[in-house]
Amino acid sequence: LTADHVRIVEVGPRDGLQNEKKSISLETKLELISKLAKTGLTTIEAGSFVPAKWVPQMASTSEILQHLIKKPPHSDNQIAYNYLVPNIKGLEDLVKIMDAEGATAGSKGDPEFSTTTEISLFAAATEAFSKANTNCTIAESLERVRPIVALAKEKHIRVRGYVSVALGCPYEGPNVAPSKVADITATLLEMGADEVSVADTTGMGTAPRTLELLKALSAAGIANSDLALHFHDTYGQALVNTVVGLEHGVRIFDSSVGGLGGCPYSKGATGNVATEDLVHTLHSLGMHTGIDLEEMSRIGSWISDQLGRANDSRVGKATLAR
Ligand code: HMG
Ligand code: MG
């Protein structure tokens, strides 16, 4: 990444859809991913290998992976498809499918591969959220990371880590200790994660507390190049906090087309910051994303219609109204 280039991680097909009550067909999910693949995005979260009884909407992830291996959508650039795995079983399920299809993870940057397969694992910065989201303590969740990273490395699968509730917890409130977030982030990186996305799950983050958190991460020796920021926009602060992250030197941001989403274990949390809004803000600041804003806006409007929900992207609506 050059200083003025930002990589956007599109999490709509996973974070965006996982909380939708109405069942979404496999065809719609694949169509969403196929459309996103043509916007210039380079990383798309495509699903998660979690028990259907916990997150029913993600039950079709196996089929999505199979499809993306066999018939990846056309794209002018290489795309990394990412899958969430909460434990070793999730990764084993993924690897089983890849092995059955004779697929390799591919390696980013190698032009031989049009797509690569990556995973994300997750931990939380508070005990209460860890229990709710993963049914275990923070320490236990970090123990779960070891075998996941070991198998991923063996299979050449790139690993992303998440640290949830970094700027506020639905159970413990807004004042999550930055040092705790920094400790967990550092631990995930030491354990072999290739990048860690620090998540404001509840959208409680403010500009000053985002800055405080980023300073704590830097003070703990964490390089900006190893960091991503994942803002939910529940309080409308995601873009302000993005600018704080950008000024601090972070160059990877997560977002969701149409502002889709919410978290099943964070009551009242609305979607991720809309990709359209993020792209518009970044471009206005002279940053490059490689993303076609008009195309992204059309997708935000299309998927909102499909889901029968309002389009949560102001920029998307304004762009299409022009
Ligand atoms: P558990 O119930 O404690 O698991 O859940 P267990 O190990 O006791 O197993 C119970 C049953 O589930 C067993 O089956 C296992 O085989 C099965 P049974 O013997 O009863 O028939 N099982 C699985 N099945 C399919 N896939 C698996 C799997 N693992 C076990 N991977 C567990 C523990 C971690 C699995 C559960 O708590 C879980 O799935 N948590 C994830 C919940 C989730 O998906 N949350 C949303 C994603 S995270 C997020 O949105 C935050 C993020 O966006 C960042 C942010 O904004 O903060 C990333
Ligand atoms: Mg999230």
Side-chain angles (χ1 to χ4, degrees):
L1 293 181
T2 55
D4 63 352
H5 187 273
V6 168
R7 176 157 67 86
I8 291 184
V9 175
E10 169 63 48
V11 298
R14 194 278 306 170
D15 210 350
L17 299 186
Q18 70 184 7
N19 204 27
E20 284 289 326
K21 298 279 175 291
K22 193 179 110 205
S23 163
I24 302 157
S25 72
L26 175 63
E27 287 66 36
T28 303
K29 290 178 187 169
L30 290 173
E31 194 174 346
L32 172 61
I33 292 169
S34 161
K35 287 177 188 289
L36 290 169
K38 296 173 182 65
T39 58
L41 281 165
T42 55
T43 313
I44 300 175
E45 258 192 4
S48 52
F49 284 90
V50 293
K53 74 164 191 240
W54 280 73
V55 191
Q57 196 62 258
M58 292 289 105
S60 51
T61 297
S62 298
E63 282 97 330
I64 291 174
L65 172 62
Q66 266 164 346
H67 182 92
L68 294 178
I69 291 172
K70 281 199 235 172
K71 273 183 73 182
H74 174 76
S75 166
D76 289 335
N77 50 276
Q78 193 181 50
I79 298 193
Y81 290 106
N82 190 298
Y83 301 86
L84 221 59
V85 300
N87 54 14
I88 186 67
K89 172 154 177 20
L91 180 56
E92 283 167 354
D93 289 350
L94 177 147
V95 165
K96 230 177 273 164
I97 293 169
M98 286 180 59
D99 286 350
E101 301 294 340
T104 58
S107 84
K108 210 159 181 166
D110 184 338
E112 191 196 325
F113 299 100
S114 64
T115 68
T116 66
T117 303
E118 304 185 352
I119 58 164
S120 290
L121 44 81
F122 43 105
T126 67
E127 291 295 349
F129 194 83
S130 182
K131 199 77 196 163
N133 197 32
T134 49
N135 198 23
C136 66
T137 64
I138 296 172
E140 284 162 352
S141 75
L142 293 172
E143 279 313 308
R144 284 182 188 172
V145 169
R146 282 182 209 285
I148 299 178
V149 170
L151 178 56
K153 297 281 155 182
E154 187 192 318
K155 295 289 180 181
H156 307 289
I157 295 173
R158 190 171 186 274
V159 178
R160 173 173 233 243
Y162 275 107
V163 182
S164 286
V165 295
L167 287 161
C169 171
Y171 312 104
E172 299 185 17
N175 294 316
V176 176
S179 59
K180 184 80 193 169
V181 179
D183 279 354
I184 297 170
T185 304
T187 303
L188 290 174
L189 289 167
E190 277 159 27
M191 286 176 142
D194 295 290
E195 134 191 338
V196 174
S197 181
V198 174
D200 184 9
T201 316
T202 59
M204 288 177 191
T206 58
R209 288 199 299 107
T210 300
L211 183 58
E212 189 193 359
L213 173 60
L214 288 164
K215 283 182 177 164
L217 291 161
S218 295
I222 295 157
N224 282 328
S225 54
D226 289 337
L227 275 183
L229 291 171
H230 177 109
F231 292 117
H232 284 261
D233 204 21
T234 314
Y235 290 77
Q237 299 305 296
L239 291 173
V240 177
N241 297 340
T242 296
V243 175
V244 172
L246 209 57
E247 283 187 340
H248 192 79
V250 177
R251 291 291 179 270
I252 310 171
F253 293 88
D254 303 354
S255 62
S256 172
V257 66
L260 299 176
C263 177
Y265 304 103
S266 179
K267 203 159 173 271
T270 57
N272 300 86
V273 60
T275 307
E276 303 90 309
D277 298 21
L278 178 62
V279 167
H280 175 76
T281 296
L282 291 169
H283 289 181
S284 78
L285 294 168
M287 308 300 290
H288 300 281
T289 64
I291 290 171
D292 180 338
L293 178 56
E294 281 208 24
E295 195 49 43
M296 192 60 83
S297 300
R298 280 192 283 272
I299 300 171
S301 165
W302 171 81
I303 189 66
S304 301
D305 284 349
Q306 292 291 315
L307 302 180
R309 76 201 290 279
N311 183 354
D312 263 350
S313 170
R314 293 198 199 176
V315 169
K317 287 184 283 191
T319 302
L320 295 177
R322 272 206 306 252

